[in-house]
Structure formats: C-alpha cells, structure tokens
Amino acid sequence: MRRYRRWYHGQVFFFTLVTHQRRRILTTNLGRSALRSAIREVRQRHPFELTAVVLLPDHLHAVVTLPMGERDYSTRIRRLKGAFTRLWRAGGGVEGDVSRSRHRRGERGIWQRRFYEHTVRDESDLKRCIDYVHVNPLKHRLVERVRDWPWSSFHRYVRLGEYPEDWGRRREFYGDEFRYAE
C-alpha cells in the first residue's frame, strides 16, 4: 500500500480538491451554497484564511493561510469535505457511483479520496500559486478572459489593485503553457 507523505512546514498552502469521478457539481447553485456553508462551519473551529480560491465545475484550487503556529491542514480539508458532503446530500444532491472498496470504508461518492497539497516556500512561490489559481478557468478553456469567470478570488484581487482587470486573456494561452499578461 502506498504511503502518502504530508509536509507540515510553513503557514501557507496550495490545495487542489477534486470531485469523485470528476462530477461537475461544484458550480451548481447547491454546490456553491454547500461549499460556502462548509467553509464557514469549518472556520469556526479550525480557523484559516482563503488567500486565493477558484471554483471550477469538478475541482477547486485554493491558497490557504493558517494561523501562526497552526499546521494541521489535513483536519481542515477532511472536515470541509465532510461538511460539504452532508450539506450536499441534505440539499438533495446526488452521489456518484461508489465502488465496493469505497462502500467498505464508508466513503461517499462526492470527493476523490486524496487531495493535492503544496507548501508555499516564499513570496515568488506564493505569487505563482495565486496566478495559477486565477488563470485556471482559462487553462481549462471555460472562458476567454480570466475576469469572465465568476467563482474566483481574482475579482477581489482586481479591486485591491493586485491585477489589472484585463490580466489573463485567451490569446496569451498556448497549449498547456500560459504566458501572463503584465
């Protein structure tokens, strides 16, 4: 059996969470509402700041800052997934197919088992992670311009003057490589 290592160093982390079978549920009205409520619920007992976030139909990316001295992001992710699942089901959301293995473990058909985590090393790494979060809808060809995607912290960053409103356009996207507009 594989052993997954989680590094608990630093205060800022980049995460990717993916739905089970890449089901396109996160940008539905119920999905957005359940996620918003789940975040609020988890923050009450396990504080964190959403430094940057983008919600796509089948996954989300987030840059999360934990309070000083805190390093337990796994509990926050587990509780976030659990709260979302409970709220999704209570709202009438349907689960994906569950394998025997998932059924034996008592797992639901909402999220993939694992999540991707990256510890942000420094300011330039933080900038790269935040840019990646914001450009992701363009990368997945969901929009022609980053500003056209409604479920992103990009709009907050524009209001704060961190990005120009026209940052990130389709013509700057080349295959899997994105050349950032300055």
Side-chain angles (χ1 to χ4, degrees):
M1 180 170 145
R2 274 189 173 171
R3 295 195 49 94
Y4 290 89
R5 265 193 205 164
R6 297 285 184 207
W7 298 103
Y8 293 93
H9 304 290
Q11 295 294 132
V12 183
F13 304 92
F14 170 86
F15 297 106
T16 301
L17 283 71
V18 182
T19 60
H20 178 60
Q21 299 172 332
R22 288 251 182 210
R23 294 181 57 236
R24 300 172 66 81
I25 63 173
L26 296 178
T27 54
T28 64
N29 287 336
L30 176 58
R32 292 190 325 274
S33 173
L35 187 60
R36 193 171 25 258
S37 295
I39 289 169
R40 219 175 294 130
E41 183 180 310
V42 173
R43 274 182 170 164
Q44 287 177 357
R45 293 196 61 201
H46 304 281
F48 64 90
E49 176 189 335
L50 274 175
T51 305
V53 64
V54 68
L55 187 61
L56 286 91
D58 61 357
H59 68 285
L60 68 91
H61 296 290
V63 176
V64 173
T65 304
L66 300 184
M68 275 313 240
E70 292 274 338
R71 303 241 182 329
D72 186 10
Y73 56 78
S74 289
T75 295
R76 287 166 172 84
I77 298 294
R78 183 178 64 252
R79 290 183 185 257
L80 181 68
K81 286 179 168 184
F84 177 90
T85 298
R86 181 176 34 77
L87 293 162
W88 173 260
R89 293 182 68 230
V94 179
E95 295 182 53
D97 296 330
V98 177
S99 66
R100 285 185 191 158
S101 169
R102 276 184 170 270
H103 182 71
R104 274 194 308 272
R105 294 172 184 229
E107 295 176 359
R108 315 297 317 196
I110 305 295
W111 294 103
Q112 284 186 3
R113 283 183 179 154
R114 306 282 182 205
F115 60 89
Y116 173 80
E117 168 272 325
H118 166 77
T119 302
V120 176
R121 295 180 302 272
D122 55 29
E123 287 298 317
S124 65
D125 191 27
L126 176 61
K127 170 88 168 101
R128 186 184 60 77
C129 289
I130 292 172
D131 286 348
Y132 182 84
V133 164
H134 292 147
V135 81
N136 212 253
L138 185 69
K139 178 180 180 267
H140 287 282
R141 302 181 192 281
L142 297 170
V143 291
E144 292 292 320
R145 299 171 302 192
V146 170
R147 72 178 184 202
D148 294 337
W149 191 251
W151 304 295
S152 171
S153 58
F154 174 76
H155 307 288
R156 176 174 39 117
Y157 277 76
V158 168
R159 284 191 304 275
L160 294 171
E162 298 289 328
Y163 289 108
E165 188 176 5
D166 65 346
W167 182 87
R169 295 176 301 275
R170 171 68 66 203
R171 64 186 172 84
E172 295 149 1
F173 184 73
Y174 301 91
D176 285 337
E177 181 182 339
F178 181 80
R179 297 184 187 152
Y180 300 105
E182 295 298 330

